[in-house]
Amino acid sequence: MTAEALRRSLETTDNPFNSTDEVMSWIARRNKEVDVRIRRIPFSEMRGWHFDEPTGNLVHDTGRFFSVVGLDVYTNTGTVSRWMQPILNQPEVGFLGVLCRDIDGVAYFLLQAKIEPGNVNCVQLSPTLQATRSNYMCAHGGRPPAYLEIFRNATRDRTILDQLQSEQGARFLRKRNRNMVIRLDGDIDVGEDFRWLTLGQIKELVRRDNVVNMDTRTVLSGLRVDDGGTDGINSIDDILHQLSRLKSKFELQVEKIGLRDVKEWVVGSDEIARPDHRFFRVIGVDVTIANREVSTWRQPLVEPMQEGICVLFAKRIRGKMHYLLQAKVECGNFDVVELAPTIQCLTGPYLNPIGYRPTYLAEFLDGSCVERTIVDVMQSEEGGRFYREQNRNVVCEVNDAVPDDQPENFVWMTLGQMREFLRFNNYLNIQVRSLISML
Amino acid sequence: MTAEALRRSLETTDNPFNSTDEVMSWIARRNKEVDVRIRRIPFSEMRGWHFDEPTGNLVHDTGRFFSVVGLDVYTNTGTVSRWMQPILNQPEVGFLGVLCRDIDGVAYFLLQAKIEPGNVNCVQLSPTLQATRSNYMCAHGGRPPAYLEIFRNATRDRTILDQLQSEQGARFLRKRNRNMVIRLDGDIDVGEDFRWLTLGQIKELVRRDNVVNMDTRTVLSGLRVDDGGTDGINSIDDILHQLSRLKSKFELQVEKIGLRDVKEWVVGSDEIARPDHRFFRVIGVDVTIANREVSTWRQPLVEPMQEGICVLFAKRIRGKMHYLLQAKVECGNFDVVELAPTIQCLTGPYLNPIGYRPTYLAEFLDGSCVERTIVDVMQSEEGGRFYREQNRNVVCEVNDAVPDDQPENFVWMTLGQMREFLRFNNYLNIQVRSLISML
């Protein structure tokens, strides 16, 4: 795929194959056609899953897919230095793959209208292929997912993007997916669940509430389309040195423990939760999806206890737009610290927070530091694991209330620099990648 | 530090302050002056250490420094898919720091003649500062190490290098050190254990047996001195994509377990070893170092059961020198796969190997693929943890018996490309960094 075809794709919003309006009505139609029923059930009725002995971990009978285990966390940073919590454990790397084609010099990307049980609205635009290793190794005995072999056998000259990127560090233990964009030479048959879209269209759709799913957003965040180089007020080496310093200063020790041994959390008959109902809970659901055929299964889902917010500050410094990232320690992080949005408030309430004061949250909420809102939209977390979790995603230009000089756990970066760090994996967390996909 | 001062340092071998001959006689003198006695003792006499209950792990009484724990390993690559082994656990990031100065436009680096109990010869050239977190937080109540504060408080403009790099993946569980080079503006007092050397001198010394220690070698491998850019027959993105593919294909699951539960290994009264004496053993030693003052302590050390070899192949391809790296899974790796030398044979014997055939080992040993030997030298592993472990380090130019096209777990890279990956941490393993330091 040429840089020119990507650039033209970004500029193209009038797609001759599917206009953006057509895509929206197609999604609406898919939403109507399917009947998705999610019913909470007690764990004892969650066929295919059981609590393992002696750990008390919630596991699939095959031992595959994911499990809910306990984590004992120690860190020397933040307001709480020691805690235990349940966490999703899925020690395998899945595929998040998007196919693309050059049609008349413009790049088109193949997205899928996919139903996921946890979605607020059922259908969202997902990558061409979205499959965990257990899926594609057919742990539940089904057919391999469509287009899998194209991604598994992709040759070097067809690979536009192939990155290992992290998932939510507060919910997943060191989970990563392989984010891919693969170029096709000719045409292929696409089913009625698929549509070819331009980057410009996807950028339009990602600025609407809950249309483009998290997996699509993370893949697209890595695509480099003329980002204006990697110069900024901090050099790439400056930022790398800052991260080395923090990763050496901040200790993060996590030990997997049995779910049974997690203090302050109770495994009840139909939820794994804290008595004070803070943070999140794990529930069991029965999922029935009916359209042409009926499929039904049971699984655990994570339900957040509040709505969260992620805000990325932008500011023109020395003539170039910079974004303010926060070096954040999260217990499931692959490498202690990842770069997160300026404000990331997902595990506690952001309106009337108790006991902690995220930097810049007050100034953002009262608007005193905001010059201009670039995007302000609700986005869903991955609907295969999270139950109706949507978070407010904001990018805004800020004034001099946010200084150019920042403390050691914040850093100003240009878009080109963020993409450079995306190339080398595990530097930018999933929340900031979601925001980058909207830029 | 200007690029010009680094380049001139590389070209300078006649140091007006200390000639290379003077450095060698200074090391010889230090070796004579100190009397190092290492005596094997049973674990029951190893004061300050005990076997913890109920795990059976060998730990320091303070809970700090390092411990010997068990590891349960599963991987889907290599000849053995499941095994258990003891491993060194040290969940803290230490400093490996070198000070440098510009004197008349030439960069000089401050190295230390340091005694380490496990060294084959006692004294080797180590970084200015070599300190674990337990050291510098003064877990044993001593004085903080010299120059510590310079490294802890280094500002951005003085930081030439600040990388987090891994240690031996077969022996350490996800251990990393912070590799730093910091520029001084003026002069400082240096004790008699320190000398200012040019890069050219260090490159001379690193080609001699057991003079420059592993910690110095890993720091110096990251220094960029006009490496001719990052172009090669594979682009940086090609290599990143290849690594993503392998990290997704190769599974590595490691679980920390109690040392007591490690099958096929026996914790005896004076060694932790396999009955067949393969791989390595952990012993207890009493160390006495006498020169001006006497210091004595007891600690565990790891003793390898054979001499190992690391070979890096070089080949001129399309007019540019390339080096052949191997993507290798080791159980203590931070991220599944790290790039290793072409041949890395450390955990089993390389002469008369039984049951496995490392790629290219036979062709190297019989000389049929070797065009020219660039360096062939014995190098020690870190003497603070390893007992008289030295391995043969070779860089050689190869002929067309080693093809330009390689299987998926090998990749040709230029020196400039290797340094680019060093910037982003955790890509090149310690064995290949040792070899790069000799280029």
mmCIF file of all heavy atoms in Angstrom, chain A residues 293-315:
data_model
loop_
_atom_site.group_PDB
_atom_site.id
_atom_site.type_symbol
_atom_site.label_atom_id
_atom_site.label_comp_id
_atom_site.label_asym_id
_atom_site.label_seq_id
_atom_site.Cartn_x
_atom_site.Cartn_y
_atom_site.Cartn_z
ATOM 1 N N GLU A 293 -29.702 -17.825 12.163
ATOM 2 C CA GLU A 293 -29.652 -19.006 13.025
ATOM 3 C C GLU A 293 -29.541 -18.542 14.480
ATOM 4 O O GLU A 293 -29.213 -17.396 14.745
ATOM 5 C CB GLU A 293 -28.449 -19.879 12.647
ATOM 6 C CG GLU A 293 -27.173 -19.098 12.426
ATOM 7 C CD GLU A 293 -26.094 -19.938 11.736
ATOM 8 O OE1 GLU A 293 -25.627 -20.887 12.379
ATOM 9 O OE2 GLU A 293 -25.711 -19.640 10.596
ATOM 10 N N VAL A 294 -29.812 -19.438 15.371
ATOM 11 C CA VAL A 294 -29.769 -19.071 16.782
ATOM 12 C C VAL A 294 -28.475 -19.628 17.390
ATOM 13 O O VAL A 294 -28.150 -20.788 17.211
ATOM 14 C CB VAL A 294 -30.968 -19.656 17.536
ATOM 15 C CG1 VAL A 294 -30.853 -19.367 19.030
ATOM 16 C CG2 VAL A 294 -32.262 -19.090 16.981
ATOM 17 N N SER A 295 -27.716 -18.775 18.051
ATOM 18 C CA SER A 295 -26.605 -19.341 18.812
ATOM 19 C C SER A 295 -26.727 -18.877 20.256
ATOM 20 O O SER A 295 -27.239 -17.799 20.546
ATOM 21 C CB SER A 295 -25.268 -18.961 18.194
ATOM 22 O OG SER A 295 -25.150 -17.564 18.156
ATOM 23 N N THR A 296 -26.259 -19.737 21.124
ATOM 24 C CA THR A 296 -26.406 -19.439 22.545
ATOM 25 C C THR A 296 -25.200 -19.970 23.302
ATOM 26 O O THR A 296 -24.641 -21.008 22.938
ATOM 27 C CB THR A 296 -27.723 -20.033 23.090
ATOM 28 O OG1 THR A 296 -27.757 -19.825 24.499
ATOM 29 C CG2 THR A 296 -27.839 -21.511 22.806
ATOM 30 N N TRP A 297 -24.752 -19.212 24.236
ATOM 31 C CA TRP A 297 -23.639 -19.666 25.081
ATOM 32 C C TRP A 297 -23.662 -18.931 26.415
ATOM 33 O O TRP A 297 -24.435 -17.981 26.591
ATOM 34 C CB TRP A 297 -22.293 -19.479 24.376
ATOM 35 C CG TRP A 297 -21.853 -18.055 24.241
ATOM 36 C CD1 TRP A 297 -21.092 -17.344 25.118
ATOM 37 C CD2 TRP A 297 -22.143 -17.154 23.167
ATOM 38 N NE1 TRP A 297 -20.899 -16.063 24.654
ATOM 39 C CE2 TRP A 297 -21.535 -15.915 23.458
ATOM 40 C CE3 TRP A 297 -22.890 -17.269 21.967
ATOM 41 C CZ2 TRP A 297 -21.630 -14.807 22.614
ATOM 42 C CZ3 TRP A 297 -22.968 -16.167 21.141
ATOM 43 C CH2 TRP A 297 -22.346 -14.942 21.457
ATOM 44 N N ARG A 298 -22.843 -19.361 27.330
ATOM 45 C CA ARG A 298 -22.762 -18.738 28.650
ATOM 46 C C ARG A 298 -21.317 -18.334 28.937
ATOM 47 O O ARG A 298 -20.405 -19.050 28.546
ATOM 48 C CB ARG A 298 -23.279 -19.705 29.708
ATOM 49 C CG ARG A 298 -24.736 -20.027 29.433
ATOM 50 C CD ARG A 298 -25.342 -21.077 30.312
ATOM 51 N NE ARG A 298 -26.767 -21.174 29.974
ATOM 52 C CZ ARG A 298 -27.707 -21.689 30.745
ATOM 53 N NH1 ARG A 298 -27.385 -22.173 31.936
ATOM 54 N NH2 ARG A 298 -28.959 -21.706 30.358
ATOM 55 N N GLN A 299 -21.114 -17.243 29.578
ATOM 56 C CA GLN A 299 -19.739 -16.778 29.840
ATOM 57 C C GLN A 299 -19.739 -15.742 30.959
ATOM 58 O O GLN A 299 -20.767 -15.140 31.252
ATOM 59 C CB GLN A 299 -19.130 -16.173 28.575
ATOM 60 C CG GLN A 299 -19.722 -14.824 28.171
ATOM 61 C CD GLN A 299 -18.858 -14.098 27.140
ATOM 62 O OE1 GLN A 299 -19.067 -14.232 25.943
ATOM 63 N NE2 GLN A 299 -17.888 -13.341 27.620
ATOM 64 N N PRO A 300 -18.587 -15.505 31.567
ATOM 65 C CA PRO A 300 -18.459 -14.393 32.513
ATOM 66 C C PRO A 300 -18.232 -13.085 31.750
ATOM 67 O O PRO A 300 -17.666 -13.092 30.662
ATOM 68 C CB PRO A 300 -17.199 -14.745 33.326
ATOM 69 C CG PRO A 300 -16.744 -16.090 32.863
ATOM 70 C CD PRO A 300 -17.356 -16.330 31.526
ATOM 71 N N LEU A 301 -18.672 -11.989 32.314
ATOM 72 C CA LEU A 301 -18.378 -10.656 31.781
ATOM 73 C C LEU A 301 -17.985 -9.760 32.951
ATOM 74 O O LEU A 301 -18.420 -9.969 34.082
ATOM 75 C CB LEU A 301 -19.606 -10.052 31.085
ATOM 76 C CG LEU A 301 -19.982 -10.547 29.682
ATOM 77 C CD1 LEU A 301 -21.294 -9.894 29.227
ATOM 78 C CD2 LEU A 301 -18.880 -10.252 28.668
ATOM 79 N N VAL A 302 -17.184 -8.767 32.646
ATOM 80 C CA VAL A 302 -16.791 -7.792 33.662
ATOM 81 C C VAL A 302 -17.680 -6.562 33.527
ATOM 82 O O VAL A 302 -17.796 -5.999 32.439
ATOM 83 C CB VAL A 302 -15.311 -7.394 33.489
ATOM 84 C CG1 VAL A 302 -14.962 -6.229 34.406
ATOM 85 C CG2 VAL A 302 -14.400 -8.581 33.770
ATOM 86 N N GLU A 303 -18.298 -6.174 34.626
ATOM 87 C CA GLU A 303 -19.169 -4.998 34.595
ATOM 88 C C GLU A 303 -18.533 -3.898 35.461
ATOM 89 O O GLU A 303 -18.305 -4.099 36.643
ATOM 90 C CB GLU A 303 -20.554 -5.357 35.150
ATOM 91 C CG GLU A 303 -21.518 -4.191 35.069
ATOM 92 C CD GLU A 303 -22.897 -4.523 35.650
ATOM 93 O OE1 GLU A 303 -23.061 -5.597 36.270
ATOM 94 O OE2 GLU A 303 -23.798 -3.690 35.479
ATOM 95 N N PRO A 304 -18.273 -2.731 34.864
ATOM 96 C CA PRO A 304 -17.679 -1.651 35.647
ATOM 97 C C PRO A 304 -18.723 -1.059 36.589
ATOM 98 O O PRO A 304 -19.915 -1.145 36.333
ATOM 99 C CB PRO A 304 -17.273 -0.632 34.590
ATOM 100 C CG PRO A 304 -18.237 -0.849 33.473
ATOM 101 C CD PRO A 304 -18.555 -2.322 33.480
ATOM 102 N N MET A 305 -18.278 -0.455 37.663
ATOM 103 C CA MET A 305 -19.193 0.098 38.647
ATOM 104 C C MET A 305 -19.422 1.593 38.457
ATOM 105 O O MET A 305 -20.094 2.211 39.267
ATOM 106 C CB MET A 305 -18.658 -0.172 40.054
ATOM 107 C CG MET A 305 -18.846 -1.610 40.453
ATOM 108 S SD MET A 305 -20.447 -2.293 39.874
ATOM 109 C CE MET A 305 -20.591 -3.682 40.962
ATOM 110 N N GLN A 306 -18.805 2.169 37.422
ATOM 111 C CA GLN A 306 -18.996 3.593 37.157
ATOM 112 C C GLN A 306 -18.661 3.854 35.711
ATOM 113 O O GLN A 306 -18.053 3.025 35.043
ATOM 114 C CB GLN A 306 -18.096 4.467 38.046
ATOM 115 C CG GLN A 306 -16.602 4.236 37.811
ATOM 116 C CD GLN A 306 -16.090 2.988 38.502
ATOM 117 O OE1 GLN A 306 -16.379 2.774 39.666
ATOM 118 N NE2 GLN A 306 -15.353 2.142 37.782
ATOM 119 N N GLU A 307 -19.033 5.017 35.243
ATOM 120 C CA GLU A 307 -18.615 5.437 33.913
ATOM 121 C C GLU A 307 -17.261 6.115 34.058
ATOM 122 O O GLU A 307 -17.038 6.870 35.004
ATOM 123 C CB GLU A 307 -19.646 6.413 33.368
ATOM 124 C CG GLU A 307 -19.474 6.742 31.912
ATOM 125 C CD GLU A 307 -20.548 7.735 31.478
ATOM 126 O OE1 GLU A 307 -21.693 7.311 31.234
ATOM 127 O OE2 GLU A 307 -20.225 8.931 31.417
ATOM 128 N N GLY A 308 -16.360 5.838 33.129
ATOM 129 C CA GLY A 308 -15.029 6.423 33.211
ATOM 130 C C GLY A 308 -14.803 7.514 32.194
ATOM 131 O O GLY A 308 -15.672 7.796 31.361
ATOM 132 N N ILE A 309 -13.638 8.112 32.275
ATOM 133 C CA ILE A 309 -13.300 9.167 31.326
ATOM 134 C C ILE A 309 -11.819 9.088 30.967
ATOM 135 O O ILE A 309 -10.984 8.749 31.812
ATOM 136 C CB ILE A 309 -13.639 10.564 31.897
ATOM 137 C CG1 ILE A 309 -13.574 11.621 30.797
ATOM 138 C CG2 ILE A 309 -12.713 10.934 33.052
ATOM 139 C CD1 ILE A 309 -14.158 12.958 31.215
ATOM 140 N N CYS A 310 -11.534 9.351 29.691
ATOM 141 C CA CYS A 310 -10.158 9.456 29.225
ATOM 142 C C CYS A 310 -10.047 10.742 28.437
ATOM 143 O O CYS A 310 -10.810 10.958 27.502
ATOM 144 C CB CYS A 310 -9.804 8.288 28.312
ATOM 145 S SG CYS A 310 -9.737 6.725 29.177
ATOM 146 N N VAL A 311 -9.101 11.577 28.832
ATOM 147 C CA VAL A 311 -8.936 12.876 28.175
ATOM 148 C C VAL A 311 -7.501 13.035 27.725
ATOM 149 O O VAL A 311 -6.569 12.770 28.488
ATOM 150 C CB VAL A 311 -9.287 14.033 29.145
ATOM 151 C CG1 VAL A 311 -9.240 15.370 28.404
ATOM 152 C CG2 VAL A 311 -10.636 13.814 29.793
ATOM 153 N N LEU A 312 -7.340 13.446 26.474
ATOM 154 C CA LEU A 312 -6.012 13.731 25.947
ATOM 155 C C LEU A 312 -5.910 15.230 25.677
ATOM 156 O O LEU A 312 -6.699 15.778 24.907
ATOM 157 C CB LEU A 312 -5.794 12.935 24.648
ATOM 158 C CG LEU A 312 -4.393 12.986 24.033
ATOM 159 C CD1 LEU A 312 -3.339 12.431 24.967
ATOM 160 C CD2 LEU A 312 -4.372 12.220 22.701
ATOM 161 N N PHE A 313 -4.968 15.868 26.346
ATOM 162 C CA PHE A 313 -4.756 17.300 26.146
ATOM 163 C C PHE A 313 -3.877 17.522 24.913
ATOM 164 O O PHE A 313 -2.894 16.801 24.714
ATOM 165 C CB PHE A 313 -4.048 17.935 27.347
ATOM 166 C CG PHE A 313 -4.923 18.130 28.551
ATOM 167 C CD1 PHE A 313 -6.262 17.752 28.544
ATOM 168 C CD2 PHE A 313 -4.403 18.717 29.703
ATOM 169 C CE1 PHE A 313 -7.061 17.946 29.673
ATOM 170 C CE2 PHE A 313 -5.192 18.912 30.831
ATOM 171 C CZ PHE A 313 -6.525 18.524 30.816
ATOM 172 N N ALA A 314 -4.239 18.529 24.136
ATOM 173 C CA ALA A 314 -3.432 18.936 22.985
ATOM 174 C C ALA A 314 -3.044 20.389 23.166
ATOM 175 O O ALA A 314 -3.801 21.174 23.742
ATOM 176 C CB ALA A 314 -4.234 18.765 21.697
ATOM 177 N N LYS A 315 -1.851 20.739 22.707
ATOM 178 C CA LYS A 315 -1.418 22.130 22.836
ATOM 179 C C LYS A 315 -0.368 22.420 21.768
ATOM 180 O O LYS A 315 0.511 21.590 21.530
ATOM 181 C CB LYS A 315 -0.810 22.338 24.235
ATOM 182 C CG LYS A 315 -0.555 23.795 24.594
ATOM 183 C CD LYS A 315 0.054 23.905 25.996
ATOM 184 C CE LYS A 315 0.296 25.366 26.358
ATOM 185 N NZ LYS A 315 1.028 25.484 27.630
#
